[in-house]
Amino acid sequence: MRCKGLDVVLFTVASCTTCIAAITVPTTAPSTASTIDSSQVAVSLEFFAFPGYTELVSTETCLANLQALRGAPVAVRIGGTTQDRATYDPSLATPVSYTVASPTDAPTSLTFGPSFFTLAASDLKGNVTIGLNRQLNNQANTLSAAVQAKNSMPNMYAIELGNEPDLYASTSPIVPSSGWSQTADAASEKSWFTAIAPSVGNIFQAAVYLSWRTTATIPLLGTSINNVRSVSEHSYPQSACNGATTDLSTLMSHSGIVSYTSGFKADAASAHAAGVRYFLGETNSATCGGGGISPTFGAALWIVDYVLQGALNGIERSYFHQGTIGDCQYCWWGRFTTGAPFYGAYFVSTFLGTDGAKLEMLDNGTGAVASYVIFNSAGAPIRLLVYNSNYYDATGTRSSTAVSFTGGGIPSAGTATALRLTGPNATSRVDEGGIVTIGGGVTFDGNCNVVGTETRENVVVTGGTLTVSVQASEALIVYL
Ligand SMILES: *[C@@H]1O[C@H](CO)[C@@H](O)[C@H](O)[C@H]1NC(C)=O
Ligand SMILES: *[C@@H]1O[C@H](CO)[C@@H](O)[C@H](O)[C@H]1NC(C)=O
Ligand SMILES: *[C@@H]1O[C@H](CO)[C@@H](O)[C@H](O)[C@H]1NC(C)=O
């Protein structure tokens, strides 16, 4: 297809198979632009595995890399299924204690001691949210853990009481004889917040649901919303549980991501209306082992678009979960080289930068090609991002889309620069030898150190129009 007005450009863009005619970039941030949090990309660490993560060099390096790109430390949540299997032992000398049959198993029961919290204070630089147990219905034990956490962690942001209570078994100790429901859970949350807040303050992260919607819980909390700092929902767009099938092209589809993340908009709005923050407190691509799609380059591209769409829908932070070390398909690092998904986290953090303040989408959300603009705090457009979500799995020819921009900050003629995130195909895995690169030369070694140098491409501006070419399953940042 040939696009009107692009004749000049078509000579310089090789094998253009599709073109998107000029998109106008606003000159100043519109009032509808979304605010970007300094830890829009955040990390969740599975509760029992947290001490083990502090022993991996990659944990510190990966978090430091993202901090450098954003100029602010990464917020970390420590929690997950095993928070609801954990009992605090104030006399335990080690951070955690448990027994498992195989090193890649998660424990069915564990204890943790005071050094769990001193480790969280010493090793994590950003806001830390700690997930404690509610499922076992031992409120005195959780209260003593919460007090110890509060007293040892200057970086404490919030405390969760229970993880995914929507999935509690009817035999869970917390479930009353009258049964479990969202209403029963909200009453339980309210009574626990009321009991524990006087000792630690109004710092709770409420809900922590996987399937229930948080909007319904807020009125059920009543005045206990005053004990709450943030509302958390968990999100895995795909699942490999119980034989469910996963699909990479669906995961990374821009229109699919737009549609999926819009499902959180009402929940975010209700939290904000109640005066509390709204986070995806635990998220990643596919639950139950990732179904083969989680460690891929396509999942890296998904992260880029998913983080930005989250922000547009009022999700202030997305905490990407890192599970059992050594048995975790969606993990960014662990006992394998730095995985392909980390490249997506790094790239979207590069786009948001130290100066990104407001975000706007420039496409209509129904096509395969996404365009975004980020504005600085003065409201000036500073960078564009183009994501071509057309699926390339190495069969057939890799298509390419030319996208043109005019307006906001683009000069009438000259040269701009661009940074490309690319890989051999969407199914490529860094841990299987696939080479994903940022700016042509940057990769990460097994300890998450940056290897190589980023090179920005030149982009010609002609007649006030800037045109870039982005291949299927690729993303590009343009510096204005
Ligand atoms: C959370 O992080 C921000 C940014 O680093 C910092 O200003 C704030 O003090 C932190 N809050 C807590 C409670 O740690
Ligand atoms: C959305 O944009 C695409 C081009 O990117 C266009 O083909 C389509 O008609 C637009 N849809 C709507 C509803 O505006
Ligand atoms: C996709 O790229 C990887 C290398 O990263 C390669 O191993 C794989 O064979 C490619 N897929 C196909 C279908 O060729």
Side-chain angles (χ1 to χ4, degrees), residues 393-395 424-430 432-435:
D393 66 356
T395 55
N425 66 73
T427 70
S428 295
R429 292 173 55 158
V430 172
E432 291 184 348
I435 298 174

Side-chain angles (χ1 to χ4, degrees), residues 142-429:
T142 292
L143 171 63
S144 63
V147 168
Q148 184 67 34
K150 175 75 183 170
N151 291 342
S152 21
M153 295 174 56
N155 52 350
M156 167 70 79
Y157 180 75
I159 292 175
E160 294 177 354
L161 299 175
N163 176 72
E164 299 176 1
D166 40 331
L167 303 186
Y168 284 171
S170 58
T171 52
S172 286
I174 192 71
V175 172
S177 54
S178 51
W180 198 238
S181 62
Q182 190 165 355
T183 305
D185 171 71
S188 164
E189 285 193 47
K190 182 178 181 178
S191 86
W192 281 56
F193 294 157
T194 307
I196 299 175
S199 305
V200 299
N202 298 319
I203 58 166
F204 295 101
Q205 173 146 289
V208 199
Y209 297 153
L210 181 65
S211 56
W212 291 339
R213 309 314 307 191
T214 59
T215 297
T217 291
I218 291 175
L220 295 171
L221 291 176
T223 54
S224 222
I225 193 69
N226 298 325
N227 303 131
V228 173
R229 186 165 221 171
S230 51
V231 163
S232 160
E233 202 135 18
H234 292 181
S235 161
Y236 291 85
Q238 295 200 19
S239 162
C241 303
N242 306 317
T245 53
T246 54
D247 185 82
L248 184 56
S249 66
T250 305
L251 179 78
M252 58 184 274
S253 151
H254 174 55
S255 57
I257 293 167
V258 168
S259 162
Y260 178 85
T261 52
S262 70
F264 297 100
K265 194 180 176 89
D267 288 330
S270 67
H272 295 152
V276 299
R277 307 196 71 193
Y278 182 80
F279 304 138
L280 293 186
E282 183 187 312
T283 190
N284 222 316
S285 46
T287 49
C288 293
I293 65 173
S294 288
T296 65
F297 174 55
L301 294 166
W302 164 74
I303 288 170
V304 172
D305 207 27
Y306 180 70
V307 164
L308 299 178
Q309 286 300 321
L312 294 176
N313 283 289
I315 295 164
E316 296 169 79
R317 294 176 186 163
S318 293
Y319 288 80
F320 288 86
H321 197 55
Q322 318 292 311
T324 307
I325 300 168
D327 184 22
C328 181
Q329 295 288 301
Y330 50 59
C331 280
W332 293 351
W333 70 89
R335 290 203 187 104
F336 63 100
T337 193
T338 306
F342 183 74
Y343 290 67
Y346 190 92
F347 192 74
V348 74
S349 298
T350 303
F351 173 61
L352 299 174
T354 55
D355 52 355
K358 296 271 185 181
L359 178 73
E360 184 90 339
M361 175 164 73
L362 297 174
D363 62 295
N364 62 23
T366 67
V369 179
S371 299
Y372 299 93
V373 56
I374 186 112
F375 303 90
N376 63 18
S377 56
I382 47 177
R383 287 177 290 280
L384 306 172
L385 185 142
V386 179
Y387 166 42
N388 185 343
S389 77
N390 283 301
Y391 185 62
Y392 176 65
D393 66 356
T395 55
T397 307
R398 195 171 194 166
S399 67
S400 176
T401 301
V403 187
S404 296
F405 299 92
T406 59
I410 297 170
S412 59
T415 312
T417 59
L419 190 75
R420 195 172 298 265
L421 169 64
T422 195
N425 66 73
T427 70
S428 295
R429 292 173 55 158

Side-chain angles (χ1 to χ4, degrees), residues 84-138:
D84 268 328
R85 300 174 183 174
T87 300
Y88 181 58
D89 176 357
S91 62
L92 187 70
T94 54
V96 278
S97 175
Y98 58 83
T99 311
V100 285
S102 145
T104 55
D105 284 351
T108 53
S109 176
L110 67 147
T111 56
F112 61 105
S115 57
F116 190 95
F117 302 122
T118 47
L119 206 51
S122 63
D123 283 40
L124 299 173
K125 307 207 163 33
N127 293 175
V128 179
T129 296
I130 297 271
L132 297 175
N133 195 326
R134 186 160 50 102
Q135 193 260 146
L136 290 177
N137 199 21
N138 188 345

